[in-house]
Amino acid sequence: MGVGLLFGFLLAAVARTLNHHASWKVEDCSKFASDTGGTGVTILDAAYIPQNASITIPTCRLVGRVPYGEKGNNSVIFELWLPSVEKYNGRFLVVGNGGMAGTIPTQVITLNLNQGYAVAGGNAGHLASENNGGSGAPGVYLPYMHDDEQVRAWIHNSIAYLTPPARQIATAFYRKAPKYSYYEGCSTGGAQGFALAQFHPGLFDGIVAKGPGNWYSHLALSFLYNAQVTQGSAFLPQTALDLITQAVLAKCDTIDGVEDGVLENPLLCDFDVASLECGSPGTTGNSSECLTPNQVSAARRIYSGPADARSGASLYPGFSVGSETEWMVQEGVLVEAFSIPILQNMLFDNLSYDAAQFDWGADVDALDARIGARIDAVSPDLSQLAAAGGKMIVLQGWADPLNAATWPIEHLRQLEASSGGDVGAWFRLFMIPGGGHCGAASHYPQVPAVWHALDAVARWVETGHAPTEILATDPADEGRAGKTSKLCPWPRTARFRGGNVNDWNSFVCEG
Ligand SMILES: *[C@@H]1O[C@H](CO)[C@@H](O)[C@H](O)[C@H]1NC(C)=O
Ligand SMILES: *[C@@H]1O[C@H](CO)[C@@H](O)[C@H](O)[C@H]1NC(C)=O
Ligand SMILES: *[C@@H]1O[C@H](CO)[C@@H](O)[C@H](O)[C@H]1NC(C)=O
């Protein structure tokens, strides 16, 4: 036997030994599932998923149940998708929920799986059958809202229940702990991100919270208020909403130096909706070209947001100019899906409760004490996250029709006040001009609507390079498929410096 051949045999033997300790194969997913004891998780399903058109990496998909609570009958159902070791990027990611949750966000799971992440996501600790299929309605009993453990799991705790065991299972699969752990969520998922920072600060290396509904109880109040102020003759039909946005853009689009149908910073736009009142100079008296006094007053109220009837103190910020075209959801859909169900099921325990009776004083106090305490995550002090070395990126669309865009700005100021100054070493807010709720806004299809914040937080965590800009790609308008844009850490905004307006490199963050 020649030396070369002997050496070859030795290598093969070493490889076999190493292989024994190497990752499980995705093809052996079911066999692996029987090897996950000791995690407290019951595996409900395990399947090998070969590469296909939408799942571009061969995957081991597990469905598990992790019990929580004192009564012993509550559980979070979650899925954990493990990409083949060859395509695995060494990072563990948990993704959050939307709305009232109750379902597993598999679409977001697969998007990130395709990037090489081992990804988990859960149902937030209750089933969709307990929340009317994901959306409440007036007079409908929502069982999860009557189970205190499920209420607290929904936003505050469910991610923390599933994360350690899911991470442990991922570690067993690759026979190696993930190098980093990240969380990303939008809307309710953004609120879950703030809850992680506030209540479970050591769990993740990096958190991305988008369009955060972290002041959930008052977000529900803003839905109620906006619905109440647009009743009857104050109703703003779609034509009126479109009219307002067009007038806003005509006045303020070019403040940022580029005429692109988008406001870079709506706070700089000095627009008075009274200029559209029928009879004002430039209006015609045609109802699709002007607003009645009641409509003007309704729009003003939506811009200012609800206030405490006793003190006049703001209860939630109002909406920004340029966001009007999607306000229709504020005039009915959201109050029925969220505010009325929360008041009827959780605050008044009366399915006949008439929300028109809501007392914008005493009832606010009751809401804060009994509901806010269980579902909000608004602490101005997130220093424990900073102390644990965590990094957090928040994104908020200026044209988000659900969440008033300036709420995350207000909360940023609270964090700064609490920590005595700049928090940019561990927390950064990126505002998205023309951005909608968790993606594109209907009036701004030209705006790149995929925000690469997870890449940015991973780079921050792994290299220490804090994000000074974030890339946005993939506008809803397919005719602008190659357009990119630059998101800036607030209060900086993007300024055009010449060149191709569809290229993010033509902009610099200034301010
Ligand atoms: C768990 O048990 C409690 C107390 O018996 C009950 O009120 C609750 O409805 C149960 N929850 C579920 C999800 O079965
Ligand atoms: C009102 O204005 C709209 C839009 O400019 C136009 O289509 C419509 O014909 C006008 N109606 C009247 C009665 O002038
Ligand atoms: C429930 O609300 C309705 C409507 O506001 C009211 O008439 C009724 O008295 C309430 N029921 C209870 C038990 O408070």
Side-chain angles (χ1 to χ4, degrees):
M1 187 187 280
V3 172
L5 195 56
L6 178 62
F7 189 65
F9 269 114
L10 278 172
L11 269 186
V14 168
R16 264 197 306 277
T17 316
L18 284 178
N19 238 347
H20 183 70
H21 296 286
S23 167
W24 281 79
K25 292 189 182 330
V26 287
E27 293 84 349
D28 295 331
C29 190
S30 306
K31 200 168 143 216
F32 165 70
S34 56
D35 193 37
T36 57
T39 56
V41 169
T42 305
I43 299 293
L44 306 175
D45 193 22
Y48 162 55
I49 301 181
Q51 187 172 338
N52 61 49
S54 56
I55 297 159
T56 58
I57 298 180
T59 295
C60 169
R61 169 184 169 270
L62 300 164
V63 184
R65 181 203 295 131
V66 52
Y68 72 86
E70 297 295 318
K71 291 174 296 200
N73 60 352
N74 273 318
S75 56
V76 181
I77 312 286
F78 69 94
E79 296 194 14
L80 172 62
W81 292 52
L82 300 164
S84 67
V85 67
E86 295 79 15
K87 299 287 176 66
Y88 172 48
N89 67 17
R91 302 179 181 103
F92 175 67
L93 172 70
V94 180
V95 295
N97 299 99
M100 290 188 183
T103 52
I104 294 168
T106 44
Q107 206 186 344
V108 191
I109 290 178
T110 55
L111 273 178
N112 289 291
L113 172 97
N114 290 343
Q115 304 300 314
Y117 288 89
V119 195
N123 70 350
H126 64 268
L127 304 173
S129 58
E130 294 170 284
N131 67 23
N132 195 40
S135 175
V140 173
Y141 183 79
L142 302 179
Y144 93 97
M145 290 193 172
H146 299 267
D147 182 320
D148 181 55
E149 289 180 353
Q150 292 187 4
V151 169
R152 291 174 191 273
W154 174 31
I155 294 170
H156 284 187
N157 299 323
S158 64
I159 303 293
Y161 292 143
L162 74 87
T163 294
R167 197 173 189 281
Q168 204 180 330
I169 293 170
T171 301
F173 186 80
Y174 299 111
R175 300 199 207 267
K176 192 177 181 186
K179 283 186 294 222
Y180 302 100
S181 299
Y182 298 105
Y183 169 83
E184 182 172 42
C186 189
S187 193
T188 293
Q192 291 169 322
F194 273 96
L196 289 166
Q198 181 174 343
F199 302 113
H200 314 283
L203 216 44
F204 290 94
D205 300 302
I207 294 171
V208 176
K210 301 179 283 189
N214 56 316
W215 199 2
Y216 216 99
S217 63
H218 283 224
L219 178 63
L221 287 186
S222 79
F223 298 162
L224 175 61
Y225 177 76
N226 293 330
Q228 288 185 348
V229 301
T230 50
Q231 291 298 301
S233 62
F235 183 72
L236 294 160
Q238 191 62 47
T239 49
L241 300 176
D242 293 344
L243 176 72
I244 303 174
T245 295
Q246 280 155 19
V248 165
L249 288 171
K251 178 147 195 217
C252 297
D253 181 4
T254 55
I255 290 176
D256 59 347
V258 54
E259 187 174 356
D260 56 358
V262 182
L263 304 182
E264 177 63 27
N265 179 359
L267 301 183
L268 299 181
C269 178
D270 182 19
F271 173 77
D272 184 356
V273 68
S275 64
L276 295 175
E277 191 170 316
C278 302
S280 300
T283 60
T284 62
N286 175 339
S287 68
S288 63
E289 287 174 3
C290 66
L291 305 176
T292 66
N294 283 350
Q295 290 175 323
V296 167
S297 146
R300 280 192 166 147
R301 287 167 165 185
I302 295 177
Y303 290 130
S304 46
D308 190 302
R310 298 162 298 189
S311 62
S314 169
L315 296 172
Y316 204 75
F319 282 75
S320 301
V321 289
S323 70
E324 302 84 1
T325 51
E326 286 183 69
W327 283 0
M328 195 61 82
V329 291
Q330 293 287 340
E331 300 187 63
V333 176
L334 293 169
V335 71
E336 299 207 338
F338 292 97
S339 320
I340 293 173
I342 286 173
L343 295 177
Q344 291 183 337
N345 283 272
M346 291 207 280
L347 190 58
F348 295 100
D349 203 9
N350 177 356
L351 294 179
S352 309
Y353 171 74
D354 175 8
Q357 306 302 313
F358 188 79
D359 176 342
W360 290 89
D363 288 346
V364 176
D365 294 344
L367 181 82
D368 288 341
R370 286 167 38 205
I371 295 164
R374 297 186 294 158
I375 68 175
D376 295 344
V378 291
S379 174
D381 178 8
L382 297 179
S383 57
Q384 286 193 346
L385 179 73
K391 307 285 186 247
M392 184 159 180
I393 290 178
V394 177
L395 288 94
Q396 174 62 50
W398 274 115
D400 184 337
L402 273 77
N403 199 29
T406 56
W407 157 241
I409 293 177
E410 257 183 42
H411 195 199
L412 170 64
R413 291 200 193 105
Q414 294 169 7
L415 295 177
E416 288 168 343
S418 157
S419 75
D422 187 41
V423 293
W426 55 278
F427 182 103
R428 293 189 180 206
L429 165 65
F430 291 78
M431 298 300 291
I432 304 158
H437 191 63
C438 308
S442 62
H443 191 74
Y444 302 99
Q446 75 274 33
V447 169
V450 175
W451 314 316
H452 296 266
L454 183 57
D455 297 339
V457 88
R459 185 153 176 253
W460 195 1
V461 165
E462 295 170 24
T463 70
H465 182 101
T468 53
E469 56 189 30
I470 287 179
L471 169 68
T473 61
D474 300 291
D477 176 0
E478 288 174 1
R480 313 239 193 167
K483 182 174 166 67
T484 56
S485 65
K486 182 166 289 189
L487 310 178
C488 299
W490 189 258
R492 296 166 81 82
T493 54
R495 177 99 200 157
F496 185 55
R497 56 170 193 188
N500 179 355
V501 293
N502 294 321
D503 180 353
W504 76 316
N505 288 312
S506 305
F507 294 79
V508 282
C509 291
E510 279 185 0

